[in-house]
Amino acid sequence: MREANAVGSRGKAAERDTLECWGGVDLGGTKIEAVVVDRAGTVLGKMRQPTPADGEPGDVVRAIHDALEGAAHAAGLTSCQLLGVGVGAPGAVNANEGTLGHVSNVGQGWSTPYPVAGDLGARVGRPVVLGNDVQVAVAAEYRLGAGRAYRSLLGVWWGTGVGGGLVLDGVPWRGRGAAGEVGHMVVKPGGARCGCGRRGCLEAYAGRASMERRAHKAVRQGETTILFDLMRKKGRTRLTSSLWARALAQEDALATWLIGRAVRMLGVGLASAINLLDVEAVVLGGGLGTRLGPEFAGRIHEAMRPHIFVPERQPPVRVAELGELSGAIGAALLAQPPMT
């Protein structure tokens, strides 16, 4: 069943025809967020719906198209009136080929590169570009949100996994395509198994999918928790960020322990990244990052402190100002031509 959250002006297609508008989609493990923005990045319409839990790549693209159509309709448009569409996605993004592969947290997951840009472009009849989900979100926060006061920052997207993105001296830094992957920094050699297949990654302790697996294991071993009761009551198939927040608010012991462990490991991993890069700020986003908000940004900042090499210059941890829309807005900005 679709969970829709559409806003915008309906019945104003004639007015919208005179505007330059772009679509942006943030593809996540549990939800697809789509927006329509103007040149300044102002959101004119939006739509959210669940990511198909058991979908093949083609099913996921169909769901992306549905969300994009909903966002366009909320803005008084159809998707074919957009000038272009950007998609921010996890996994191995080949922007030149328009393919996405090695996706572990979306649908059934897929390893073989799938032509997402071509498939979606054929559906909307407009050009489609792909980018890494966190990198485009960090770019949006740098331009329009919590990072606009800084020249260098590390973005950390705490959600289904733990993604990262970098801006160094005003330039998005992608390395050879995988820069900023803080979730796969090793925080405990030989530690917990990560979804990537390796052991001891930060994501193995702080990623929502990994925490859910650990919660299932704890229940099988006899521990009690309200997490899965909440999931069933809400008709969810996964432990979403809102369910973790509810369990924390009710002082569920297992949820509190798992989130506390995640914060400690985030402190270790992010401090190590700061010691290497010496950026001016950390921007915290993602489903859990924005849902848990300033309190947990402060807790992560404190968890970093013992590991910071120059503690008097420890950078602040800011919550993403664009919230859960940062990824979709960043994807739409990716589709825009450079400003002249």
Side-chain angles (χ1 to χ4, degrees), residues 81-147:
Q81 292 174 283
L82 303 172
L83 297 184
V85 175
V87 178
V93 173
N94 187 323
N96 292 329
E97 299 293 331
T99 61
L100 177 64
H102 298 287
V103 185
S104 59
N105 292 325
V106 175
Q108 292 182 348
W110 66 84
S111 57
T112 304
Y114 185 83
V116 172
D119 190 347
L120 183 60
R123 294 174 187 275
V124 299
R126 310 306 297 166
V128 175
V129 294
L130 299 185
N132 174 269
D133 55 347
V134 178
Q135 289 175 352
V136 299
V138 171
E141 287 292 333
Y142 176 73
R143 176 174 158 184
L144 302 171

Side-chain angles (χ1 to χ4, degrees), residues 10-82:
R10 303 190 179 195
K12 295 188 177 181
E15 295 179 24
R16 296 301 190 210
D17 283 341
T18 65
L19 294 178
E20 294 182 320
C21 298
W22 290 264
V25 178
D26 179 19
L27 173 61
T30 58
K31 68 179 185 302
I32 297 167
E33 193 90 53
V35 299
V36 170
V37 307
D38 62 14
R39 167 63 79 173
T42 303
V43 176
L44 306 176
K46 65 179 182 178
M47 173 68 77
R48 174 191 295 178
Q49 70 176 44
T51 305
D54 300 315
E56 299 287 345
D59 299 318
V60 175
V61 173
R62 279 191 290 274
I64 290 173
H65 179 245
D66 288 345
L68 188 63
E69 283 289 356
H73 182 61
L77 297 167
T78 61
S79 62
C80 65
Q81 292 174 283
L82 303 172

Side-chain angles (χ1 to χ4, degrees), residues 243-318:
L243 296 178
W244 283 99
R246 284 174 179 268
L248 290 176
Q250 296 183 43
E251 300 182 347
D252 180 78
L254 181 60
T256 300
W257 182 81
L258 286 168
I259 292 289
R261 185 179 69 158
V263 167
R264 291 193 300 275
M265 292 302 193
L266 283 163
V268 172
L270 300 188
S272 297
I274 297 304
N275 292 340
L276 175 67
L277 299 168
D278 198 23
V279 295
E280 297 174 81
V282 175
V283 175
L284 180 66
L288 279 169
T290 53
R291 176 72 64 172
L292 300 182
E295 176 190 346
F296 276 80
R299 287 182 56 180
I300 292 168
H301 188 266
E302 289 304 309
M304 293 166 60
R305 189 180 303 279
H307 312 289
I308 294 286
F309 181 63
V310 186
E312 62 270 22
R313 285 212 313 265
Q314 181 176 349
V317 179
R318 309 288 191 204

Side-chain angles (χ1 to χ4, degrees), residues 87-266:
V87 178
V93 173
N94 187 323
N96 292 329
E97 299 293 331
T99 61
L100 177 64
H102 298 287
V103 185
S104 59
N105 292 325
V106 175
Q108 292 182 348
W110 66 84
S111 57
T112 304
Y114 185 83
V116 172
D119 190 347
L120 183 60
R123 294 174 187 275
V124 299
R126 310 306 297 166
V128 175
V129 294
L130 299 185
N132 174 269
D133 55 347
V134 178
Q135 289 175 352
V136 299
V138 171
E141 287 292 333
Y142 176 73
R143 176 174 158 184
L144 302 171
R148 62 186 182 276
Y150 307 101
R151 291 287 295 169
S152 63
L153 61 87
L154 169 65
V156 181
W157 256 239
W158 184 22
T160 304
V162 180
L166 286 166
V167 177
L168 300 178
D169 197 24
V171 179
W173 179 251
R174 299 182 177 89
R176 291 175 296 171
E181 287 286 358
V182 293
H184 298 290
M185 293 178 61
V186 174
V187 293
K188 187 176 182 180
R193 177 77 70 179
C194 182
C196 72
R198 287 171 281 273
R199 287 189 176 275
C201 296
L202 172 58
E203 186 170 298
Y205 297 94
R208 194 173 60 216
S210 295
M211 290 193 294
E212 181 170 339
R213 288 193 291 270
R214 181 62 180 81
H216 276 296
K217 180 179 178 181
V219 170
R220 289 195 299 270
Q221 293 174 341
E223 294 189 49
T224 59
T225 179
I226 64 171
L227 281 165
F228 299 110
D229 292 333
L230 292 172
M231 185 179 76
R232 286 187 288 271
K233 287 178 182 177
K234 290 293 182 179
R236 303 285 195 268
T237 58
R238 300 176 183 176
L239 292 178
T240 61
S241 297
S242 62
L243 296 178
W244 283 99
R246 284 174 179 268
L248 290 176
Q250 296 183 43
E251 300 182 347
D252 180 78
L254 181 60
T256 300
W257 182 81
L258 286 168
I259 292 289
R261 185 179 69 158
V263 167
R264 291 193 300 275
M265 292 302 193
L266 283 163

